Amino acid sequence: DIVMTQSPESLAVSLGGRATINCKSSQSVLDSSNKKNYLAWYQQKPGQPPKLLIYWSSTRESGVPDRFSGRGSGTDFTLTISSLQAEDVAVYYCQQYYISPQTFGQGTKLEIK
Amino acid sequence: EMQLVESGGGLVQPGGSLRLSCAASGFSFSSYWMTWVRQAPGKGLEWVANIKLDGSEEYYVDSVKGRFTISRDNAKNSLYLQMNSLRAEDTAVYYCARDWYQGLDVWGKGTTVTVSS
């Protein structure tokens, strides 16, 4: 199985500041045939189901603010929130959907400093 | 509006069984893979199982293989998870989610399973 490792486990950022979350996979999730990285990011707020933010490592889901961006390829990926808003407080997860069983990272808790 | 509604959770003794259901509406259910994801209290997300459009392929996380069975009824727009030989570590909120090949884009609110004597 592909192991997904996120860092840091928790993060405190000032309002308006930049938050960066890292995700590393134990093997590449890049499909060479279509040049796509099978990597998604989710946001989960307390008491709610997760919400898909980004897929194909860098494509924002419809309706997701452009302060959220994803990048990376192969085994190393990053989610960046460029200007933190109060409503961004949540736990963020990366997920690989390249090979079943699909797997999630352990989550990164984002708070306001 | 696309919607997934889980049901069937509850309290069950170790070694017992439970069948979860997920009712889909607002989209063409038979056109998508479907997935179960769980979250133990205070813990992260764990992908549990998924099933192909026509039910011809299924995949499971190792910890539930041989105990859980995912199935679907496209005529009823419904997804199921049969859980047998339940253990304390299966205690979690169970979510069903739509897999649109680019991540899990529609989620239910979840149903809670508690395994305890």
Side-chain angles (χ1 to χ4, degrees):
Chain A
D1 299 358
I2 299 178
V3 176
M4 307 300 290
T5 303
Q6 287 182 232
S7 62
E9 291 189 1
S10 63
L11 182 61
V13 175
S14 301
L15 287 172
R18 176 183 294 261
T20 301
I21 299 170
N22 302 298
C23 176
K24 188 174 184 68
S25 58
S26 61
Q27 63 187 79
S28 177
V29 298
L30 172 65
D31 188 331
S32 57
S33 67
N34 60 13
K35 302 289 192 293
K36 289 185 181 294
N37 288 280
Y38 286 62
L39 189 285
W41 289 96
Y42 298 84
Q43 176 193 64
Q44 187 180 31
K45 297 180 179 180
Q48 296 183 19
K51 173 188 175 183
L52 178 64
L53 293 178
I54 286 172
Y55 55 92
W56 298 138
S57 83
S58 62
T59 303
R60 269 189 306 274
E61 174 74 325
S62 175
V64 173
D66 61 7
R67 64 180 181 274
F68 290 89
S69 63
R71 62 178 298 170
S73 185
T75 61
D76 292 280
F77 302 91
T78 300
L79 173 70
T80 299
I81 308 170
S82 61
S83 179
L84 191 71
Q85 306 297 302
E87 61 265 32
D88 301 334
V89 169
V91 179
Y92 293 84
Y93 297 91
C94 61
Q95 179 218 14
Q96 67 81 17
Y97 50 98
Y98 186 46
I99 293 174
S100 287
Q102 298 176 18
T103 42
F104 290 94
Q106 78 275 24
T108 295
K109 186 174 184 179
L110 178 58
E111 299 173 313
I112 304 293
K113 187 188 295 183
Chain B
E1 180 193 2
M2 296 180 291
Q3 196 171 12
L4 295 170
V5 179
E6 302 93 339
S7 60
L11 174 64
V12 60
Q13 292 188 339
S17 298
L18 214 52
R19 189 193 196 209
L20 306 184
S21 299
C22 172
S25 60
F27 66 95
S28 178
F29 180 74
S30 60
S31 298
Y32 295 90
W33 285 70
M34 294 297 295
T35 297
W36 286 100
V37 174
R38 67 183 179 183
Q39 187 167 35
K43 302 297 184 183
L45 302 172
E46 181 180 36
W47 185 96
V48 174
N50 69 352
I51 186 167
K52 196 175 180 179
L53 286 64
D54 59 358
S56 61
E57 291 181 36
E58 307 159 24
Y59 297 90
Y60 299 90
V61 68
D62 282 350
S63 58
V64 308
K65 277 181 187 173
R67 300 188 300 123
F68 290 12
T69 302
I70 189 172
S71 62
R72 64 191 297 162
D73 185 336
N74 287 343
K76 294 183 178 179
N77 291 335
S78 292
L79 176 72
Y80 306 101
L81 187 66
Q82 177 67 44
M83 304 186 296
N84 299 330
S85 303
L86 282 161
R87 306 166 180 167
E89 53 265 35
D90 296 318
T91 294
V93 175
Y94 284 74
Y95 297 101
C96 68
R98 186 180 84 165
D99 185 342
W100 75 310
Y101 316 103
Q102 300 169 161
L104 306 174
D105 69 329
V106 181
W107 293 69
K109 288 182 167 49
T111 187
T112 300
V113 173
T114 303
V115 184
S116 174
S117 55

